[in-house]
Amino acid sequence: MASPLNILFAVSEAVPYAKTGGLADVAFSLTHAIKEYGHEIRMILPKYGMIRDRQYTLRDVIRLRDLEVPLGDQKVLVNVKSAFYPGSKIQVYFVDYPPYFGRPGLYVDPKTGKDYEDNAERFALFCHTAFAVLERLHWYPDVIHCNDWQTALIPPLLKEVYGKEGPLAKTKTLLTVHNFAYQGVFPKEKFRYTGLPAHFAEEDGAAAYYGKISYLKAGLEYADVITTVSPTYARQAQEDPEIGAGMQEILRRRAQDFYGILNGVDYSTWDPSSDKEIPVNYTFRSIDRKMENKKFLLEFCNMPFEPEIPFVGTISRLVVQKGFDILLEALPVILEKDLRYIILGVGDKEIEKKLKSLQQRFPEKLFVHIGFDERLAHLIEAGCDLFLMPSRYEPCGLNQLYSLRYGTIPIVRGTGGLLDTVVDVDENPQKGTGFVFKKYDAKELVQTVERALKWYQDRASWRKLVVRAMKQDFSWKNSAKEYIRLYQQLAKMK
Ligand code: ADP
Ligand code: GLC
């Protein structure tokens, strides 16, 4: 192996500490995969209100106490705590600044459902603190791997402020975008918190964005390498203005430095053979035992156990991206059919309300659980027969990958990572692993559910389909290597 690299992984959520979506899963599993290949990777994360010192054995680090971190024209004192990931030697630094992070929500105030007013300040402070930590520790990584807008100020700050000269001058940045629609857009008045030179906010400046500023845009301009989380989404983000969401021109300009690398799955957490959250473990050799999980989940939903009736699940942030407009339109038709359906999600209040009222209309068929519930997510993967993910767009998507491994056949809209990971079984009977529809449309969604239900009736074929789905391998093995190759390429640059 080439010499081990030093990587700082900067991220705003990570399992098991704080999670709103797939980013948290990726932060955990990718860092562990890279560590497995023998590299030194450390993580930096905000210490939110739900991260308890005792639960995760967070320790004070004398050297990281009272860091003086710039915030606008002031300096504030920030403490950084540290912990090792349970079961591995990955070190995690927690940015402990209670006025900004000691809250119940990560980005959104759970009381109002709206973004926190001071997100610009919060994540500018987070980015600056990352540099304060490196300087205090005298640890100068080869690459800082940034994720999404929350850490996107790091690349420009490195080039324009912290790494202009001195020990950080050789450090490079890689920015992974998990969703181009979240751009860290703020009014211009907030620019002063970034600590970047004034030209960034001026007309045509790297952070200027339709009269406002965007952290993501500044990151895309300054990162040495940009990646996103599937090859198809990488292509769509350059070609399709809805998916590129205003960033497509930068991406086209930077096409030489822009890569789509498919996310992997942490099968030590998401595999029915060892999953600790589910009542009965099973493999593709013992699929019949999956039925016990179905029984358990139906009981949980107060529904009678009728083994032959297909059970459909959805686990999702309740946002437009995930296809809730067509799903809400299609549900009254779908729920007339002979099936059961469970939805787990939290998010947009309007969507929550509409789902709840559908549950009242179809109480025997639809169970809706509003909230974030890790255990129920595992139960749904294990207990359902089908998993529905009708995304409008999808950078990668993890739930369809989990579903494959649990033998819970995915029905997906063919976009982004969904297109890269699910093969339609009618189109390709030998290799098919699920059902894919192309047009973003409620009618097509209904027709595809009908197609799946028809397949389900043929028990022998269904069983084969389930076995094939369970045998798919979306582990990090290959994708982690692609990241490492990019790190190595960056480390060699002068
Ligand atoms: P995204 O990151 O866009 O939300 P992904 O499919 O990549 O979509 O990842 C979603 C992750 O979040 C999965 O691990 C899924 O199980 C989890 N998740 C989403 N909503 C909930 C919820 N309400 N309760 C528990 N887990 C959830
Ligand atoms: C984002 C995307 C999702 C992806 C996840 C992890 O939240 O919406 O598609 O799987 O990030 O990369």
Side-chain angles (χ1 to χ4, degrees), residues 22-23 26 178-179 229 263 317 321-322 394-398:
L23 174 59
V26 169
H178 298 260
N179 191 334
V229 289
N263 282 336
R317 292 183 292 117
Q321 173 199 344
K322 299 294 178 179
E394 195 62 72
C396 179
L398 295 172

Side-chain angles (χ1 to χ4, degrees), residues 268-378:
S268 70
T269 311
W270 293 99
D271 189 315
S273 67
S274 56
D275 191 331
K276 292 186 194 70
E277 307 282 359
I278 63 175
V280 180
N281 291 116
Y282 61 97
T283 69
F284 64 84
R285 292 200 181 80
S286 56
I287 302 173
D288 293 335
R289 304 179 71 184
K290 182 169 167 58
M291 198 54 91
E292 295 298 314
N293 297 297
K294 182 168 177 177
K295 189 168 176 206
F296 186 88
L297 186 62
L298 282 163
E299 261 165 39
F300 174 85
C301 301
N302 289 316
M303 289 173 179
F305 177 53
E306 289 156 298
E308 299 310 319
I309 298 183
F311 198 4
V312 188
T314 290
I315 306 163
S316 182
R317 292 183 292 117
L318 304 181
V319 293
V320 178
Q321 173 199 344
K322 299 294 178 179
F324 280 95
D325 49 354
I326 60 169
L327 184 58
L328 283 163
E329 194 185 328
L331 270 174
V333 187
I334 293 175
L335 291 169
E336 290 297 342
K337 304 187 186 302
D338 200 15
L339 51 73
R340 309 271 181 266
Y341 199 154
I342 175 166
I343 299 180
L344 165 63
V346 59
D348 186 299
K349 301 281 172 226
E350 268 307 296
I351 301 176
E352 290 180 0
K353 225 168 57 198
K354 287 184 182 154
L355 287 174
K356 277 285 177 195
S357 88
L358 270 169
Q359 178 175 21
Q360 280 168 359
R361 204 170 132 196
F362 296 95
E364 289 96 40
K365 289 191 166 172
L366 176 64
F367 186 88
V368 175
H369 185 97
I370 302 294
F372 197 92
D373 190 328
E374 193 74 34
R375 174 152 187 264
L376 184 53
H378 285 255

Side-chain angles (χ1 to χ4, degrees), residues 333 337 443 445-455:
V333 187
K337 304 187 186 302
K443 253 199 211 139
L445 166 53
V446 172
Q447 284 163 1
T448 312
V449 171
E450 284 165 351
R451 229 164 22 92
L453 295 181
K454 205 161 146 230
W455 261 85

Side-chain angles (χ1 to χ4, degrees), residues 60 96 121 126 232 239 340 352 359 363 408 443 475 494:
D60 286 311
D96 189 16
E121 297 89 303
F126 179 58
T232 294
E239 289 169 2
R340 309 271 181 266
E352 290 180 0
Q359 178 175 21
T408 303
K443 253 199 211 139
S475 62
K494 283 275 160 308

